[in-house]
Amino acid sequence: MSRISGRPAISSEHVYGLSLRVARWRAGQSEGTPGTPLLFLNGIGADLAAAAPLLAQIHDREVWTLDMPGVGGSPDALLPYGAPTIAAVVMEIADRLGHKTVDVAGFSWGGALAQQIAIQFPGRVRRLVLMATTPVMGAPGIGWAAMFDDDMLASGLKIQTATPLGIAYQSAAMAGWSSVGFLSGLKNLPTLVLMGEQDGVMPACYGEMLADQIDGAVLEMVPGSHLFPFTHAAAIAERISAFLDSPAAAKQAAA
């Protein structure tokens, strides 16, 4: 528990036969502040400890994340699952936490899941942040390339805490998945797309595809490679907070 910075509240939620570890920073704070709760969805094989340095620096709102089945503190799933199923599981947890509306930020594999949630649960996502991700997950196990990411090697950061079955099921859930054809329906959803300038796992062209298909989406290139949300945590936390609090984004949502 000591490796999870920011001292979040840790719990276990049992949903549809899955047991998932959940971490909440500033739990319940959004009830007394204007900040909408922020859900963070991590990359393949990465647990909540890897996200903690980023999430602990996002203030003035509750921030929460969870370990996918077979990752970190969540045991393996008994059966494979698909993107719509895990999206429904995540939003059931949001319901249990009392979050009818959430902001969603997703990194890599989690960015694809964030898109799935926004498409599957219209009206429940207020703002969307997509980081180092894609609208087409054609390659199972794409997240393993992050193990050789330049920033990761330089920092010594270790993010993989998944079991072999956990990685297999997580990869299979998004194998062949695509949001192309659905993203145009998110035109009233303020969206920020962040891509790493040196990202060899998810090159800028994927971010351009997302920004082209989501009307009004803002695309920004940021320093770092694939793991920039972790290796440049302070700067990314500041940028996410600024976007979530931006009056311009509020006007876009009202349009």
Side-chain angles (χ1 to χ4, degrees):
M1 204 71 69
S2 61
R3 38 190 305 260
I4 305 175
S5 61
R7 298 183 179 179
I10 306 293
S11 63
S12 183
E13 295 290 338
H14 304 277
V15 184
Y16 306 149
L18 298 174
S19 181
L20 302 174
R21 182 173 68 161
V22 176
R24 303 170 70 188
W25 285 260
R26 293 165 294 282
Q29 181 173 339
S30 57
E31 296 172 6
T33 64
T36 300
L38 173 65
L39 162 64
F40 176 79
L41 300 167
N42 217 333
I44 191 168
D47 69 357
L48 57 87
L54 170 69
L55 304 185
Q57 296 185 69
I58 298 176
H59 300 287
D60 300 323
R61 69 189 69 245
E62 177 175 329
V63 182
W64 64 285
T65 189
L66 67 160
D67 288 341
M68 290 295 152
V71 178
S74 297
D76 286 323
L78 296 177
L79 296 170
Y81 53 87
T85 297
I86 201 66
V89 167
V90 170
M91 294 309 285
E92 170 62 23
I93 294 175
D95 283 338
R96 295 181 183 185
L97 299 181
H99 300 162
K100 298 305 179 186
T101 302
V102 292
D103 293 331
V104 181
F107 162 69
S108 196
W109 184 97
L113 181 57
Q115 295 169 60
Q116 178 68 36
I117 288 174
I119 293 165
Q120 190 171 333
F121 295 91
R124 293 202 58 186
V125 178
R126 188 189 70 116
R127 297 186 185 185
L128 185 64
V129 181
L130 303 175
M131 297 179 285
T133 193
T134 172
V136 181
M137 295 287 278
I142 192 169
W144 285 108
M147 293 295 290
F148 306 100
D149 178 275
D150 290 341
D151 278 355
M152 180 174 176
L153 293 175
S155 68
L157 184 67
K158 293 178 173 59
I159 65 170
Q160 296 285 0
T161 61
T163 67
L165 187 61
I167 284 287
Y169 282 177
Q170 217 177 341
S171 299
M174 287 295 179
W177 173 92
S178 175
S179 61
V180 174
F182 298 96
L183 292 178
S184 61
L186 304 181
K187 60 183 179 180
N188 293 324
L189 178 61
T191 302
L192 174 65
V193 181
L194 300 177
M195 305 296 290
E197 292 174 344
Q198 290 83 43
D199 191 344
V201 179
M202 292 287 183
C205 61
Y206 291 111
E208 292 167 357
M209 290 170 64
L210 288 166
D212 285 346
Q213 294 186 54
I214 303 174
D215 188 32
V218 175
L219 170 63
E220 295 182 10
M221 301 302 297
V222 299
S225 45
H226 189 61
L227 296 177
F228 67 82
F230 307 139
T231 57
H232 297 68
I236 298 304
E238 182 178 358
R239 183 64 191 95
I240 291 173
S241 294
F243 171 71
L244 297 181
D245 294 334
S246 169
K251 291 178 182 179
Q252 179 187 343

